[in-house]
Amino acid sequence: MERCSLFYSDIVPHNHALGLKLVDVAPTEATVELPYADFLVGNPETGVIAGGPVTTLIDATCGTSVMLRLGRMTPMVTLDLRIDYLRPARPGVTLTAVAECYRTTRQVAFVRALVHQGDKNHPVASAQGTFMLTEE
């Protein structure tokens, strides 16, 4: 977990600027939180976090799950990231993404993710992604 924490706080400035926090890891799974902040809001009238920070949360969590499955930090590129926004996030509440890297080949990793606000049965978004591994 220490190496992944380093990834979040030092190596990816955008993740740090958004306030992403790695909160749990498993052999093929990462859990990352995006705390609610006013500067992340897309529409001030509703207070809902914009889609861009949610996309970054999902992408970063997926990438971390790939590194956990591989057991090492490695350069990678997001090939495809399909996100289904299922409902607006509740204003003032932290978003939590859980991503699992369920398969890897020599060059591609396959990941699925879910974003929720405390209840996995009431998700905000779901995602499916593929990542190209750029180093063996």
Side-chain angles (χ1 to χ4, degrees), residues 31-46:
T31 303
V32 177
E33 289 181 345
L34 174 62
Y36 186 87
D38 289 337
F39 75 93
L40 300 174
V41 171
N43 181 347
E45 291 180 20
T46 64

Side-chain angles (χ1 to χ4, degrees), residues 6-42:
L6 177 67
F7 168 75
Y8 271 91
S9 64
D10 297 333
I11 297 173
V12 184
H14 184 68
N15 293 348
H16 179 73
L18 291 179
L20 296 184
K21 296 178 184 175
L22 181 68
V23 295
D24 197 16
V25 295
T28 62
E29 188 175 279
T31 303
V32 177
E33 289 181 345
L34 174 62
Y36 186 87
D38 289 337
F39 75 93
L40 300 174
V41 171

Side-chain angles (χ1 to χ4, degrees), residues 59-120:
D59 190 52
T61 307
C62 288
T64 302
S65 74
V66 172
M67 288 187 227
L68 289 166
R69 182 176 178 101
L70 296 173
R72 60 185 163 76
M73 293 183 77
T74 186
M76 71 184 84
V77 177
T78 306
L79 288 176
D80 181 57
L81 186 60
R82 177 199 161 91
I83 300 173
D84 292 317
Y85 290 95
L86 306 172
R87 66 174 180 87
R90 293 186 321 272
V93 181
T94 294
L95 287 169
T96 301
V98 180
E100 176 196 18
C101 179
Y102 62 91
R103 169 124 167 79
T104 57
T105 66
R106 226 176 93 245
Q107 294 183 318
V108 180
F110 301 86
V111 183
R112 56 184 152 237
L114 191 69
V115 177
H116 63 85
Q117 291 182 293
D119 181 358
K120 291 180 184 180

